[in-house]
Amino acid sequence: MGHHGLLVWGGFTALVAILLIVDLGVLNRRSHVLSYKEALSWSGSIVALALLFGLFLLWREGHNHALEYYTGYIIELSLSVDNLFVFLLLFQYFRVPPELRARVLKWGILGAVVMRLLMILVGAYLIQRFHWILYLFGALLLYSAYRMLRQGEERALVVASNPVVRLAKRVMPFTDRYVGQRFFARTATGALVATPLLLVILVVEWSDLVFAIDSIPAVFAVTRDPFLVYSSNVFAILGLRALFFVIAGMMDQFVYLKTGVAVILGFVGVKMLTTHWVDLPIILSLGVIIGVLAISVLLSLWHNRREARANP
């Protein structure tokens, strides 16, 4: 459990449960397309709560833990925003009706919270037992950064060969049409078949697993405390569903975001590989990450303005 006891973990888990109940069970009990105002209000509330949690850590545990948490949160938030590009492509590929997208994201968030907790605890245990695994994580981050830069703005989505898709279609029959919010339906002959909605959720969970392989080692590069890694992960995930509806219509405008995220992954990968020889202050790491994100956003805005002038 790192430097935090069961009481701290239990209190944070209770907070997460309350937020999930309010978001998924009260405010959005009925699956619907979130309006821009609804999505902006909820995602803004989660960001505000995440920042307040950092101030709480500052008060209780000092500036070092607070800075580690904030750095991890910004890393996770930037990776989560980039992940939304993939989710949008998945929705387009499977032709998911707009009113069902919130339901898919809801189940995706629930699965991600549990999955991240298990992966973080396993990762913390491995780092504690086998210190050399830090170098493996660092090499993995460098490879992820290289792969992201090499792809550039081409976001190829190969779903047909996805192992989850192939396994699911081998285990159960699927219908080609959506049946409301149902995961299973009956054919005219009475046979039970799965709907595409179930397949979409399986692919989303698989995608989050792939994302977690990059994001969790990235946060371990700035802190070894599993509670700080988990809390920064969870706060980034909790606002993801609402954030999707905020920026879904303008994702293509952030043309340099993927490059910025790749640079961040490369930076934390190098930091992890050199941790034995170079002790980079956490405030400097936070400054580099914020600076890279700011530059990528400003370059994207500049690019969009130049394109608008060239094509009036």
Side-chain angles (χ1 to χ4, degrees):
M1 292 296 179
H3 301 294
H4 300 84
L6 288 176
L7 184 61
V8 175
W9 280 89
F12 183 76
T13 301
L15 173 63
V16 172
I18 291 172
L19 291 174
L20 287 173
I21 291 172
V22 171
D23 181 20
L24 307 179
V26 178
L27 298 179
N28 300 284
R29 181 174 53 185
R30 180 180 57 85
S31 183
H32 66 290
V33 179
L34 270 68
S35 68
Y36 183 81
K37 184 178 180 180
E38 284 180 300
L40 188 62
S41 297
W42 182 251
S43 59
S45 299
I46 294 297
V47 171
L49 190 59
L51 296 178
L52 288 174
F53 187 75
L55 293 178
F56 172 77
L57 290 174
L58 176 64
W59 171 61
R60 288 295 302 270
E61 304 181 11
H63 71 280
N64 198 58
H65 274 188
L67 288 175
E68 289 178 353
Y69 162 79
Y70 278 131
T71 305
Y73 174 67
I74 293 174
I75 290 174
E76 284 300 321
L77 195 61
S78 60
L79 287 169
S80 295
V81 171
D82 186 65
N83 294 348
L84 293 180
F85 287 103
V86 176
F87 290 160
L88 181 61
L89 290 176
L90 284 173
F91 290 154
Q92 293 173 347
Y93 179 89
F94 285 105
R95 296 184 176 88
V96 181
E99 64 274 12
L100 295 181
R101 295 180 179 185
R103 181 172 175 81
V104 173
L105 292 171
K106 176 178 75 173
W107 285 102
I109 288 172
L110 291 173
V113 169
V114 176
M115 188 189 309
R116 297 292 176 102
L117 175 60
L118 296 176
M119 293 182 67
I120 288 168
L121 293 178
V122 170
Y125 173 77
L126 291 176
I127 290 174
Q128 186 177 13
R129 287 291 304 273
F130 312 103
H131 187 267
W132 55 264
I133 206 169
L134 286 172
Y135 304 114
L136 180 61
F137 284 169
L140 176 64
L141 291 175
L142 286 179
Y143 173 72
S144 298
Y146 166 76
R147 185 184 59 195
M148 194 174 290
L149 285 173
R150 189 177 182 182
Q151 288 176 349
E153 291 305 308
E154 298 176 3
R155 299 184 177 93
L157 187 67
V158 183
V159 177
S161 60
N162 186 291
V164 172
V165 174
R166 287 184 294 168
L167 179 61
K169 289 188 173 182
R170 186 176 301 175
V171 171
M172 66 188 82
F174 278 83
T175 179
D176 294 330
R177 62 185 181 86
Y178 290 90
V179 186
Q181 301 182 24
R182 297 165 62 182
F183 297 131
F184 298 94
R186 294 281 182 182
T187 64
T189 60
L192 183 66
V193 294
T195 69
L197 188 62
L198 178 63
L199 195 59
V200 176
I201 290 177
L202 292 176
V203 176
V204 165
E205 295 291 359
W206 171 262
S207 301
D208 186 73
L209 175 62
V210 174
F211 298 147
I213 294 174
D214 288 340
S215 64
I216 291 175
V219 184
F220 272 121
V222 298
T223 179
R224 304 290 187 270
D225 192 316
F227 176 75
L228 297 179
V229 177
Y230 183 61
S231 56
S232 60
N233 264 263
V234 168
F235 272 119
I237 292 170
L238 286 177
L240 191 61
R241 189 177 69 92
L243 189 62
F244 176 85
F245 292 95
V246 172
I247 68 174
M250 54 182 182
M251 286 183 183
D252 290 336
Q253 296 183 22
F254 298 105
V255 294
Y256 292 108
L257 178 62
K258 181 173 282 290
T259 302
V261 173
V263 171
I264 290 173
L265 285 178
F267 168 72
V268 295
V270 171
K271 186 177 184 300
M272 186 168 278
L273 287 173
T274 59
T275 186
H276 184 70
W277 301 277
V278 181
D279 185 15
L280 198 64
I282 187 63
I283 187 66
L284 181 58
S285 298
L286 180 59
V288 170
I289 292 167
I290 293 177
V292 169
L293 285 176
I295 291 172
S296 65
V297 171
L298 290 174
L299 285 176
S300 297
L301 295 176
W302 172 78
H303 176 271
N304 295 334
R305 181 173 295 182
R306 189 181 65 174
E307 289 292 314
R309 290 176 178 175
N311 302 289

